Amino acid sequence: MNKIIIITAPSGAGKSSIAHYLLDKYPQQLAFSISAATRLARGKEQNGVDYYFMSVEEFQNKIEAKEFIEWEMVYDGKYYGTLKSEMERIWQAGKTPILDIDIKGAMHIQKQFPKDSLSIFIQPPSIEDLRKRLKGRNTDTPEQIETRINKASYEISFKDHFNEIIVNDDLARACKDTEKAILEFIKS
């Protein structure tokens, strides 16, 4: 049976770092599910590697054509989603996809695949710690950081909807705890 691993967290909690750790360690078993997004690339991000970058119109056409497993307008005018074709690409390669996605998208996929998905919520140690991490990225304005902090507080309230909750107060330990949960799920 095709399985799905969902890693979700508020922005800045470390889900991408944990996902990359797992993908680097298990390249024969796991594959990164590339999300579609209508935002511009940041830094060294590449189309078809980090995201499938597309226009709002292109994204909306794919919504109408029912090409997404899940999609959300995460921030005003900024769409993100998981393409059905991306899941098929990974499954056909004989691997398990890791989805690094937002809370709503994670809950939506979990509902569609209740027995075949493992959902892991990465929790920051505190909101203040999260604020420091977001400031340290130097990618957002102070207003954008506050928007992300407010959203994070709301998202943390949904943590009990997921199969596993891992507090990322130590990245190495959070990576190992996530790895253990995923290996048990893949073997089952």
Side-chain angles (χ1 to χ4, degrees):
M1 191 69 200
N2 293 328
K3 294 184 176 189
I4 299 172
I5 296 164
I6 305 160
I7 298 180
T8 192
S11 181
K15 69 181 182 297
S16 297
S17 298
I18 292 169
H20 287 296
Y21 162 82
L22 294 162
L23 292 161
D24 288 346
K25 190 161 181 181
Y26 298 98
Q28 302 304 314
Q29 295 160 283
L30 305 173
F32 179 66
S33 170
I34 303 167
S35 294
T38 61
R39 70 164 175 78
L40 297 174
R42 291 185 199 134
K44 296 179 181 178
E45 290 178 337
Q46 297 176 335
N47 187 47
V49 176
D50 300 290
Y51 286 92
Y52 294 114
F53 294 104
M54 56 184 71
S55 69
V56 171
E57 182 182 3
E58 188 181 357
F59 198 102
Q60 290 171 337
N61 289 339
K62 290 186 181 298
I63 291 170
E64 287 177 32
K66 301 198 182 320
E67 293 182 34
F68 288 102
I69 290 178
E70 62 81 29
W71 64 271
E72 294 289 333
M73 186 166 65
V74 178
Y75 297 100
D76 190 34
K78 300 259 191 294
Y79 290 89
Y80 290 82
T82 304
L83 292 160
K84 291 177 183 176
S85 60
E86 183 66 2
M87 295 293 95
E88 291 302 326
R89 176 186 73 80
I90 294 168
W91 288 330
Q92 286 175 3
K95 297 182 181 185
T96 301
I98 288 189
L99 282 68
D100 172 352
I101 60 177
D102 81 307
I103 307 294
K104 285 184 185 173
M107 289 170 60
H108 191 72
I109 289 181
Q110 190 175 271
K111 277 185 192 155
Q112 289 183 71
F113 302 93
K115 292 189 179 9
D116 302 317
S117 66
L118 171 66
S119 60
I120 300 171
F121 184 91
I122 306 299
Q123 182 175 330
S126 69
I127 290 296
E128 195 46 49
D129 188 67
L130 190 62
R131 183 178 274 111
K132 286 179 193 165
R133 290 180 192 181
L134 291 171
K135 282 181 180 176
R137 281 182 175 177
N138 289 325
T139 58
D140 295 312
T141 65
E143 293 79 20
Q144 288 170 319
I145 289 171
E146 284 313 304
T147 298
R148 290 181 185 276
I149 291 296
N150 291 336
K151 186 172 187 222
S153 296
Y154 173 71
E155 289 174 332
I156 290 169
S157 72
F158 290 97
K159 68 182 181 184
D160 294 327
H161 291 260
F162 300 100
N163 301 123
E164 300 277 342
I165 300 167
I166 294 173
V167 177
N168 183 12
D169 54 358
D170 175 274
L171 183 59
R173 186 173 58 238
C175 285
K176 290 288 184 195
D177 292 347
T178 305
E179 177 181 4
K180 182 175 183 262
I182 287 172
L183 292 178
E184 287 173 10
F185 172 70
I186 290 174
K187 290 175 188 169
S188 66

